[in-house]
Amino acid sequence: MKIYTKAGDAGQTYLASGIRVPKTDGRVELYGTCDELNSFLGLALTFCKLKDPKFTEVLSEIQHLLFEVGSELAGYIPKGQTESIIKEEDIVSLESEIDRLTESLVPLKNFVLPGGTELASALHIARTVSRRLERDVIRYIESGGNVSQSIRTYLNRLSDYFFTAARFANQAEGVSETTWKSRTKP
């Protein structure tokens, strides 16, 4: 299989459903941003050296699931499937992992700035891309598009997870978080 087809040279592409659309189509934007998020998650995984197998396992599971979310955003629907790839148990699982990681963290008293270890920094980038994807999904829906409620809920939890995971990564590697200091507040 050739990696290039030249089919998109005129600014059009095919959705997974077989429909030809401009590369600026809302669906293309959505699955492109989902791919960007997945790429940052891949980067985070390259930095992950924590001695917490569950942490790495969850990151890997999310990466695989995001690939399927991207496919669904591109219009792919497996034969016989009528519901989203995202199930309620995926959301509950993410919430459980957020709770598990939070148990070991010092409660927040201030806003924290993105950064710390390479892993935490990559997770913070994933968090911001996840938030952008969530906003793009809402914008797409407001313009008449359709995306399942389960994907919307999952994306909302996912950014919370990445924030918590970044804090956990810093703590696990003994790196203090940088707290935000306002110019206007003493």
Side-chain angles (χ1 to χ4, degrees):
M1 179 174 120
K2 284 189 170 187
I3 195 68
Y4 62 90
T5 63
K6 301 182 184 181
D9 292 352
Q12 303 235 320
T13 190
Y14 288 95
L15 295 177
S17 59
I19 299 170
R20 189 175 174 106
V21 297
K23 288 188 174 185
T24 56
D25 184 84
R27 284 275 178 184
V28 178
E29 292 286 341
L30 292 179
Y31 72 74
T33 303
C34 190
D35 185 39
E36 179 184 358
L37 173 57
N38 208 338
S39 295
F40 278 117
L41 188 50
L43 178 65
L45 278 161
T46 66
F47 295 135
C48 191
K49 309 290 187 259
L50 303 184
K51 293 179 173 91
D52 183 333
K54 175 78 172 165
F55 186 87
T56 306
E57 178 186 315
V58 169
L59 285 178
S60 182
E61 287 172 3
I62 291 168
Q63 187 175 40
H64 284 269
L65 196 52
L66 278 175
F67 197 86
E68 293 193 72
V69 167
S71 294
E72 187 172 322
L73 292 172
Y76 176 72
I77 302 169
K79 287 184 181 179
Q81 185 173 326
T82 57
E83 296 179 8
S84 175
I85 193 69
I86 299 294
K87 307 291 181 218
E88 180 65 26
E89 58 260 25
D90 298 316
I91 296 163
V92 169
S93 176
L94 209 48
E95 291 170 347
S96 295
E97 183 63 1
I98 292 168
D99 293 343
R100 182 184 82 86
L101 298 178
T102 300
E103 286 176 6
S104 68
L105 296 173
V106 175
L108 281 175
K109 294 182 181 170
N110 299 297
F111 288 106
V112 295
L113 298 178
T117 65
E118 291 172 329
L119 172 58
S121 297
L123 289 167
H124 275 297
I125 293 171
R127 172 185 56 81
T128 63
V129 175
S130 179
R131 284 282 188 220
R132 178 165 29 98
L133 178 56
E134 181 185 13
R135 289 189 307 271
D136 290 347
V137 163
I138 293 167
R139 196 174 297 114
Y140 179 75
I141 292 166
E142 288 172 348
S143 71
N146 186 30
V147 175
S148 75
Q149 179 61 50
S150 60
I151 285 181
R152 295 183 309 206
T153 303
Y154 186 77
L155 291 175
N156 189 305
R157 290 307 176 284
L158 195 56
S159 58
D160 295 335
Y161 166 77
F162 288 138
F163 177 76
T164 306
R167 293 190 67 223
F168 181 84
N170 277 334
Q171 179 179 285
E173 294 190 45
V175 174
S176 298
E177 295 176 300
T178 303
T179 56
W180 172 64
K181 293 177 181 77
S182 172
R183 290 177 136 189
T184 61
K185 296 178 184 174

